[in-house]
Amino acid sequence: MSQNIYKHHDHHACIDTAVSRARDLCQEKGVRLTPIRQRVLELVWANHKPVGAYDLLPRLAEEGFNSAPPTVYRALDFLLDLGLVHRITSLNAFIGCTHPGEDHPTCFFVCRQCGQAQELDSAEMSDIARQAEARLGVVVEQQITELLGLCPACKGAA
Amino acid sequence: MSQNIYKHHDHHACIDTAVSRARDLCQEKGVRLTPIRQRVLELVWANHKPVGAYDLLPRLAEEGFNSAPPTVYRALDFLLDLGLVHRITSLNAFIGCTHPGEDHPTCFFVCRQCGQAQELDSAEMSDIARQAEARLGVVVEQQITELLGLCPACKGAA
DNA sequence: GCAGATTAGGTTATAATGTTGCAATTCTAC
DNA sequence: GTAGAATTGCAACATTATAACCTAATCTGC
Ligand SMILES: [Zn+2]
Ligand SMILES: [Zn+2]
Ligand SMILES: [Zn+2]
Ligand SMILES: [Zn+2]
């Protein structure tokens, strides 16, 4: 299941792994992980909360990067295309992918209290797509599911 | 599975049924289906394509209704609360629910070509939620999935 | 019917999110 | 080095959604 973010872990390792995989993937695909792109990826990975495009702007500005909407959207689009980040559409926000490289349906659990998002792999995901194809005669090209609720910590606190 | 919109059907019946159920539901819940709310519901049901809030504004204006964003968003919020419409978050658009009244996870297939959206019921949907709860210790309160691809007609045309 | 409470709607302004178009720069391949 | 491609800078704009504040309609208990 990707990994469990609710367990205590060395988060620097999360970031390092993400950047390292990104480098490899870019190498493999013959595309460039430019400074802006890498920095955006790191900022998206700063924690396990989905981050809005406009949240990134001031942080990039602080560091002397150009900071205008197109800059960050272009970087995000690049990362999305490579599957390095996902978009949580119900939040208009972006989050790092825990297993980039593999083309997969995306499924996230988002805590409505603390905002953290946990990526999930579920075999049933593809069942749903196949079922839709069989029952409706459609072709499914993309699939997203988003679960909203309370994470273990926030559930306990309530 | 709700109904199959790709099969030929009398769409006026879709609209009539939707309005009729809305009336019943409002009656039951002791809330008011005002003219604006009803008209917004009808417009959302005008076809099986998700419709943006701002698409509704000019149509309401034509008919002499007030036409400002808050008006239509208030009506849509009302309909969402009652479960009479769903929001397709990846499109920022709204579509009528085919089985209002029952609280259910929402699942839609959206054709990227013609834009029509088909609501789906799938037992596997709740499996995914239960699985997340079991594996992560979370509480799932809301679940949306959106499938994107080609409908039978658009698939054939391609 | 009427007073007070509740709900719904009107109006204006503004926030939040995302895009287009074009010029300037940087990189890559030859 | 030079041509072509990819990337970035920049300004304006488009789209989606909400805040704040007030007025009007409707309901409720008398
Ligand atoms: Zn981490
Ligand atoms: Zn939480
Ligand atoms: Zn119909
Ligand atoms: Zn279609």
Side-chain angles (χ1 to χ4, degrees), chain B residues 3 5 9-11 14 45 48:
Chain B
Q3 166 198 22
I5 64 166
H9 67 282
D10 174 16
H11 186 62
C14 289
W45 270 99
H48 289 283

Side-chain angles (χ1 to χ4, degrees), chain A residues 76-150:
Chain A
L76 287 168
D77 285 346
F78 173 85
L79 298 170
L80 283 170
D81 282 349
L82 262 76
L84 290 165
V85 305
H86 293 294
R87 186 181 141 86
I88 309 279
T89 175
S90 61
L91 300 177
N92 294 326
F94 303 84
I95 191 164
C97 174
T98 48
H99 47 323
E102 316 157 32
D103 190 19
H104 57 280
T106 80
C107 180
F108 280 91
F109 173 82
V110 180
C111 178
R112 69 168 156 81
Q113 192 67 43
C114 67
Q116 290 191 92
Q118 163 77 54
E119 187 164 2
L120 288 159
D121 302 321
S122 177
E124 280 77 6
M125 288 283 289
S126 17
D127 288 350
I128 290 176
R130 276 196 293 266
Q131 209 171 79
E133 291 182 332
R135 297 209 287 210
L136 297 172
V138 302
V139 183
V140 174
E141 297 169 342
Q142 206 193 324
Q143 179 175 15
I144 59 181
T145 118
E146 294 170 17
L147 308 173
L148 188 71
L150 288 175

Side-chain angles (χ1 to χ4, degrees), chain B residues 20-34:
Chain B
S20 163
R21 285 190 190 165
R23 250 193 283 270
D24 294 349
L25 207 60
C26 288
Q27 176 80 27
E28 184 186 317
K29 302 233 173 182
V31 294
R32 283 187 281 159
L33 188 64
T34 61

Side-chain angles (χ1 to χ4, degrees), chain B residues 32 54 69-70 73 87 92:
Chain B
R32 283 187 281 159
Y54 277 74
Y73 277 104
R87 186 181 139 86
N92 294 325

Side-chain angles (χ1 to χ4, degrees), chain B residues 4-19:
Chain B
N4 187 329
I5 64 166
Y6 306 124
K7 290 188 185 154
H8 178 73
H9 67 282
D10 174 16
H11 186 62
H12 291 298
C14 289
I15 302 177
D16 291 347
T17 304
V19 172

Side-chain angles (χ1 to χ4, degrees), chain A residues 11 20 30 44 143:
Chain A
H11 187 62
S20 162
V44 165
Q143 179 175 15

